[in-house]
Amino acid sequence: MAAIANHPEDVAELTLRVKELEEQQLAFRNSLVCAFNQLLDLKDISTGVHSTRLAEWAIRVARKMNIAEGNFYQVEVAALLHDIGKVGVPDAILKKQGPLTSDERTLINRHPEYSWSILRLFPGLQEASLYALHHHESVDGTGYPAGLKGHEIPLVSRIISVIDAYDAMVSHRCYRKGLPHSEAIARLIASKGTQFDPDVVQAFVPIAEQETADVFAAAGTSASAIL
């Protein structure tokens, strides 16, 4: 250390090298995140697009709920890859048009644990992995996989739970048509305090309303004509 201290140019070079390595690690991690999102698209294109929307909405809700901006990256990754564990669920179950059997339901309910087991292996994404793990918990304790209640559930997980449910309700799937926006919002509101965090629902509803208005405006259609 004394030798290095006597040569400031060596310290500067070492500092620059460390910075370059940190930037390379971050770029590699971001590339992996993008690759896993592409994997979701290959598994089910609707799931991949769904996750991209959720990443955008999650940041907007996180900002409204005063989550520190320094945690936005973890929020974004958790929202983007919360369903990555579905790669471990057979397509025959994911795309089944009839009711699931109890065994099939048990298997698909494991996907948050699969997501956690994948994301926790990414250096620096331990928080995001926990957010993904708990995105199907309910504030009344009836969710899975841990049956957490209220504020035992990470706030980011509670955010993902609300926006995930809304987007799933309004999106078309191979086995059903999506619900109208107004009905999806009504279901979110009806489930405040049981499945969903009331504060998160309150923060998200104006975002969903604006999103819907923007979509209809782009399509040249009035919201009232479709809702």
Side-chain angles (χ1 to χ4, degrees):
M1 290 297 296
I4 294 177
N6 291 331
H7 298 85
E9 64 277 7
D10 292 339
V11 175
E13 182 177 347
L14 181 60
T15 301
L16 180 61
R17 180 57 180 157
V18 169
K19 184 177 180 181
E20 289 175 348
L21 290 173
E22 289 175 344
E23 290 175 349
Q24 289 173 10
Q25 183 187 46
L26 179 59
F28 180 65
R29 186 173 67 190
N30 288 340
S31 295
L32 282 176
V33 169
C34 291
F36 273 87
N37 192 47
Q38 289 295 313
L39 182 61
L40 275 174
D41 276 338
L42 292 173
K43 179 73 171 178
D44 181 350
I45 191 167
S46 64
T47 299
V49 173
H50 156 84
S51 297
T52 302
R53 280 195 297 269
L54 259 62
E56 297 171 359
W57 291 346
I59 293 298
R60 293 168 67 181
V61 177
R63 185 173 285 114
K64 290 181 70 171
M65 302 202 71
N66 298 317
I67 290 178
E69 190 167 344
N71 201 37
F72 281 5
Y73 183 75
Q74 301 290 329
V75 174
E76 183 177 16
V77 172
L80 190 67
L81 297 181
H82 67 285
D83 274 341
I84 189 62
K86 286 185 176 178
V87 299
V89 180
D91 286 347
I93 296 177
L94 286 177
K95 301 178 181 180
K96 185 176 180 180
Q97 297 193 19
L100 297 177
T101 67
S102 59
D103 287 343
E104 289 169 339
R105 174 56 61 186
T106 296
L107 181 56
I108 202 169
N109 284 0
R110 294 290 304 275
H111 81 269
E113 296 172 70
Y114 298 158
S115 295
W116 168 78
S117 68
I118 293 169
L119 292 178
R120 71 186 182 91
L121 299 177
F122 285 59
L125 292 185
Q126 286 74 22
E127 286 182 60
S129 71
L130 288 174
Y131 300 152
L133 174 64
H134 296 298
H135 78 273
H136 275 295
E137 305 284 1
S138 297
V139 295
D140 64 0
T142 61
Y144 61 90
L148 301 183
K149 290 183 178 182
H151 286 82
E152 295 174 350
I153 307 167
L155 175 55
V156 177
S157 300
R158 284 178 267 147
I159 291 173
I160 295 173
S161 175
V162 170
I163 61 179
D164 183 33
Y166 170 80
D167 194 67
M169 284 190 283
V170 300
S171 298
H172 296 302
R173 294 289 186 260
C174 61
Y175 48 86
R176 62 156 175 81
K177 289 185 63 176
L179 296 175
H181 161 77
S182 56
E183 185 172 346
I185 291 296
R187 292 191 182 192
L188 287 182
I189 293 172
S191 297
K192 290 193 302 182
T194 52
Q195 183 175 356
F196 305 122
D197 182 315
D199 293 334
V200 175
V201 173
Q202 182 176 345
F204 175 65
V205 167
I207 293 172
E209 298 282 3
Q210 183 60 53
E211 192 82 11
T212 302
D214 290 346
V215 169
F216 292 147
T221 308
S222 69
S224 61
I226 297 180
L227 297 181

